[in-house]
């Protein structure tokens, strides 16, 4: 049978996707291991997650500093020696600290796991936080903080979180320069001792995850004492949004202004979350969005503008962000309000909604391509105690939601007159 390659394949709408689901096993000490055995090459990505995010820290900077310094030295090996040994085995590591979770990720060939995993165990559970390395780390972080503090984008981001949640809220609190003087190595040791325990650990393994890989994890981590799970992670105060809605963080010599405007919303456990993702995509969630078409392409005020829904374990919010010339700051804010009002007053045309449906479906399919991507999809579920049906419901909503329903959502959740608005730079 020959194929006429001058004809495009027939369009096939995606109605559902059957994702490979992780299987869960537990090590002898109870550490859960989620396995995604979908690789064709002898390589794995193994991620250790701890309930040790920024919101759990007793003082600013501690959570990130601990996670950043796990690879700075263990008993018998310096940071340089650790790096050289990982390089020798062709392995590399990444770390990330969010408000809710601290994660440490290893990429390795399967055959080198017997040599690499004991190193990772020592880095995770027996780091020494060398004093000399800590001094260098603190000096570098302080210098970077000073440089970033002068950038309008950073000023607006930090200010928006503080005004939206309140300065005392774990999601709104921000570090100050003086906090570097109050951070000592002892705070890192104490935070690590109380939060990096097997009881607070979850492992996600993706790639060629054979029984041999699970066996190596058991050898390296299964005999660790369980320890106690931090209890204070369950305590979360209510947000205290600033009474004033409009805020200006002036920088008289600024050439650009950074804008953040948005409102409290909800996280991905809410019934309207998927539908709001569709609405957000129309407004500012992709390159062809209304904000981009108007403020970048038509007005030429910015190189980029976007909107998003930020989901955290105990809260969520909607935000629009951009940087523009100071002389068009007020004009940009006017156009943002205009685009939101259009969503509230008019239904989205059928062809535009169909384009967004196809775009979102394609992006989702791309985000599930391969075992490492599937591991990321799993991470998006674990912290919220969601099941894989979350993604089926997402696709169903994308394909079925109507223009009148989206207009109702815009009227219910997006009111420019109630949004927190932060400008860092100048208002002109």
């Amino acid at each position: 049978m020959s194929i006429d390659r001058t004809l495009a394949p027939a369009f096939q709408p995606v109605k559902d996707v059957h994702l490979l689901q992780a299987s869960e096993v537990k090590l002898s000490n109870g550490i859960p291991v989620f396995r995604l055995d979908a690789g064709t090459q002898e390589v794995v990505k193994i991620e250790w997650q701890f309930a040790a995010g920024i919101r759990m820290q007793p003082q600013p900077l501690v959570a990130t500093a601990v996670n950043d310094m796990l690879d700075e030295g263990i008993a018998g090996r310096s940071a340089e020696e650790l790096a050289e040994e990982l390089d020798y085995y062709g392995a590399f590591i990444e770390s990330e600290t969010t408000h809710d979770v601290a994660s440490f990720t290893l990429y390795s060939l399967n055959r080198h796991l017997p040599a690499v995993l004991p190193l990772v165990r020592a880095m995770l559970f027996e780091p020494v936080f060398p004093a000399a390395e800590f001094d260098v780390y603190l000096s570098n972080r302080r210098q970077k903080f000073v440089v970033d503090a002068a950038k309008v984008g950073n000023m607006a981001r930090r200010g928006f979180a503080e005004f939206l949640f309140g300065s005392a809220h774990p999601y709104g609190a921000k570090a100050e320069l003086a906090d570097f003087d109050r951070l000592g190595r002892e705070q890192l040791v104490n935070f690590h001792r109380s939060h990096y325990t097997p009881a607070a650990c979850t492992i996600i393994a993706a790639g060629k995850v054979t029984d041999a890989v699970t066996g190596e994890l058991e050898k390296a981590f299964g005999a660790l004492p369980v320890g106690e799970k931090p209890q204070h992670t369950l305590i979360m105060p209510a947000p205290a949004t600033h009474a004033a809605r409009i805020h200006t963080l002036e920088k008289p010599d600024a050439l650009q202004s950074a804008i953040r405007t948005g409102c409290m919303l909800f996280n991905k456990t809410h019934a309207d979350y998927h539908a709001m993702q569709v609405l957000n995509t129309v407004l500012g969630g992709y390159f062809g969005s209304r904000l981009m078409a108007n403020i970048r392409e038509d007005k030429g005020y910015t190189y980029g503008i976007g909107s998003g829904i930020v989901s955290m374990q105990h809260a969520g919010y909607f935000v629009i962000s951009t940087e523009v010339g100071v002389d068009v700051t007020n004009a940009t804010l006017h156009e943002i309000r205009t685009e939101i009002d259009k969503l509230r007053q008019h239904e989205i045309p059928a062809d535009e909604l169909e384009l967004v449906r196809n775009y979102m479906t394609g992006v989702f399919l791309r985000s599930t391509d391969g075992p490492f991507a599937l591991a990321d999809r799993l991470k998006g579920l674990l912290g919220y105690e969601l099941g894989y049906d979350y993604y089926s419901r997402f696709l169903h909503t994308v394909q079925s939601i109507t223009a009148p329903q989206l207009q109702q959502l815009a009227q219910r959740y997006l009111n420019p007159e109630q949004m927190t608005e932060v400008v860092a730079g100048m208002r002109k």
Side-chain angles (χ1 to χ4, degrees), residues 241-300:
T241 302
H242 198 286
R245 192 176 67 79
I246 308 295
H247 306 270
T248 303
L249 307 174
E250 287 200 7
K251 186 179 181 187
D253 59 343
L255 299 177
Q256 285 193 315
S257 292
I259 295 172
R260 297 289 187 280
T261 182
C263 57
M264 294 298 301
L265 203 60
F266 37 70
N267 68 13
K268 58 174 59 177
T269 63
H270 194 277
D272 287 337
Y273 184 79
H274 294 323
M276 281 300 295
Q277 283 185 299
V278 179
L279 185 65
N280 171 68
T281 303
V282 172
L283 177 63
Y286 74 122
F287 194 83
S289 69
R290 293 186 175 191
L291 289 176
M292 285 289 281
N294 179 354
I295 297 172
R296 175 193 151 103
E297 300 298 324
D298 184 44
K299 303 298 188 301

Side-chain angles (χ1 to χ4, degrees), residues 18-73:
H18 300 284
L19 298 180
L20 175 68
Q21 299 188 11
S23 61
E24 181 183 0
V25 299
K26 289 187 183 295
L27 303 184
S28 296
N29 55 5
I31 296 179
V33 179
F34 292 90
R35 298 162 26 110
L36 280 159
D37 184 14
T40 57
Q41 305 295 319
E42 295 285 336
V43 62
V44 289
K45 171 188 174 185
I46 304 176
E47 179 171 342
W48 290 260
Q49 289 194 339
F50 295 88
I54 294 170
R55 69 178 171 85
M56 292 85 167
Q57 63 190 5
Q59 67 182 72
L61 306 173
V62 173
T64 303
V66 167
N67 204 24
D68 287 347
M69 289 203 65
L70 291 175
D71 61 348
E72 293 295 333

Side-chain angles (χ1 to χ4, degrees), residues 17 19-20 36 45 268 277 359-380 388 390-391 394-395:
V17 173
L19 298 180
L20 175 68
L36 280 159
K45 171 188 174 185
K268 58 174 59 177
Q277 283 185 299
Y359 169 78
M360 294 183 71
T361 302
V363 169
F364 174 74
L365 293 177
R366 189 177 62 195
S367 73
T368 61
D369 184 17
F372 295 175
L374 289 171
D376 289 337
R377 299 283 69 75
L378 174 65
K379 286 165 54 181
Y388 276 97
Y390 170 87
Y391 292 119
F394 167 77
L395 280 177

Side-chain angles (χ1 to χ4, degrees), residues 77-127:
R77 287 183 177 86
S78 66
E80 183 179 358
E81 290 169 333
L82 275 174
E84 288 179 352
E85 197 158 352
L86 290 172
D87 285 345
Y88 174 78
Y89 290 113
F92 69 96
I93 55 178
E94 295 175 341
S95 63
E96 180 185 23
T97 309
T98 70
H99 276 93
D100 295 314
V101 174
S103 65
F104 191 90
T105 304
L106 166 73
Y107 297 84
S108 174
L109 296 173
N110 288 30
R111 66 176 182 273
H112 292 321
L113 287 178
V116 173
L117 286 180
L119 296 177
V120 173
R121 179 190 60 209
M123 285 188 276
L124 291 176
F125 296 101
E126 303 161 14

Side-chain angles (χ1 to χ4, degrees), residues 167-360:
S167 59
H169 193 280
Y171 289 152
K174 60 183 182 182
E176 303 295 347
L177 187 59
D179 291 320
F180 288 90
D181 298 328
R182 290 189 280 268
L183 184 64
R185 176 182 171 278
E186 191 62 25
Q187 280 89 36
L188 273 63
V189 173
N190 292 336
F191 186 77
H192 176 268
R193 183 185 299 125
S194 59
H195 287 78
Y196 283 71
T197 68
C201 177
T202 298
I203 299 176
I204 301 172
K208 193 76 169 178
V209 186
T210 61
D211 290 342
V213 170
T214 308
E216 293 300 331
L217 288 170
E218 173 63 32
K219 287 179 189 176
F221 298 92
L224 290 169
V226 178
E228 295 183 2
K229 192 170 186 176
Q231 295 299 312
H232 67 276
T233 58
L234 302 177
I235 302 172
M236 178 59 75
T241 302
H242 198 286
R245 192 176 67 79
I246 308 295
H247 306 270
T248 303
L249 307 174
E250 287 200 7
K251 186 179 181 187
D253 59 343
L255 299 177
Q256 285 193 315
S257 292
I259 295 172
R260 297 289 187 280
T261 182
C263 57
M264 294 298 301
L265 203 60
F266 37 70
N267 68 13
K268 58 174 59 177
T269 63
H270 194 277
D272 287 337
Y273 184 79
H274 294 323
M276 281 300 295
Q277 283 185 299
V278 179
L279 185 65
N280 171 68
T281 303
V282 172
L283 177 63
Y286 74 122
F287 194 83
S289 69
R290 293 186 175 191
L291 289 176
M292 285 289 281
N294 179 354
I295 297 172
R296 175 193 151 103
E297 300 298 324
D298 184 44
K299 303 298 188 301
Y301 291 163
T302 181
Y303 287 112
I305 181 170
S307 63
I309 303 171
V310 178
S311 176
M312 298 177 285
Q313 290 183 2
H314 295 273
Y317 62 89
F318 168 80
V319 63
I320 295 171
S321 61
T322 188
E323 291 187 24
V324 300
V326 293
D327 57 323
V328 293
T329 302
N330 289 333
T332 300
L333 289 167
H334 172 76
E335 294 302 327
I336 289 173
R337 288 190 286 269
T338 298
E339 292 300 335
I340 295 175
D341 285 339
K342 287 180 181 176
L343 288 175
R344 290 164 55 86
Q345 295 167 4
H346 308 286
E347 293 183 6
I348 299 168
D351 56 344
E352 183 182 6
L353 183 54
E354 190 62 21
L355 175 64
V356 168
R357 292 189 206 280
N358 293 335
Y359 169 78
M360 294 183 71

